[in-house]
Amino acid sequence: MSHPIASLLPVFAAALLLAACWADVATRRIPDSLPAALVLLGLGQAVLAGGFLAASIAGLGSLLAGWVLWKRGLLGGGDVKLLAGAATIAGPAGLPALAFGTAVLGGVLALPFLL
């Protein structure tokens, strides 16, 4: 049986991601508190589901991959932290969908800046 608060975790995650999106579009910066809250939320979710190690590996692996992209000038630092937080929530099984969704939505968000 799942914990009653587990059903609220996706709502909190979506709110944090929307706040990060808003901040990024409005100021071109993502406050550190938003990715940190995503990581804590993801780890809390993982503790409730019994997948703490898997969630930690997904988050840390995404942070490392994002760091490489940041060093090459392909991602911003806030994007890397946000990706790590989202990956912690998604876990290893959700990483392909997260990567695809991030690429598509990131492209859509980038269009106005390119135009």
Side-chain angles (χ1 to χ4, degrees):
M1 184 158 133
S2 68
H3 195 278
I5 200 164
S7 62
L8 296 175
L9 292 175
V11 175
F12 293 139
L16 290 168
L17 289 168
L18 285 172
C21 180
W22 178 262
D24 194 19
V25 169
T27 66
R28 305 287 292 150
R29 298 188 75 64
I30 299 171
D32 290 341
S33 59
L34 295 174
L38 280 171
V39 168
L40 292 175
L41 189 64
L43 293 177
Q45 170 185 293
V47 166
L48 293 175
F52 182 81
L53 182 60
S56 298
I57 291 170
L60 289 173
S62 295
L63 185 64
L64 179 61
W67 180 80
V68 170
L69 295 172
W70 172 74
K71 288 298 278 183
R72 294 183 178 187
L74 299 172
L75 281 180
D79 298 323
V80 172
K81 293 180 284 186
L82 194 62
L83 178 62
T88 304
I89 291 173
L95 286 180
L98 176 63
F100 179 75
T102 300
V104 170
L105 292 174
V108 169
L109 284 173
L111 282 177
F113 291 103
L114 294 174
L115 297 174

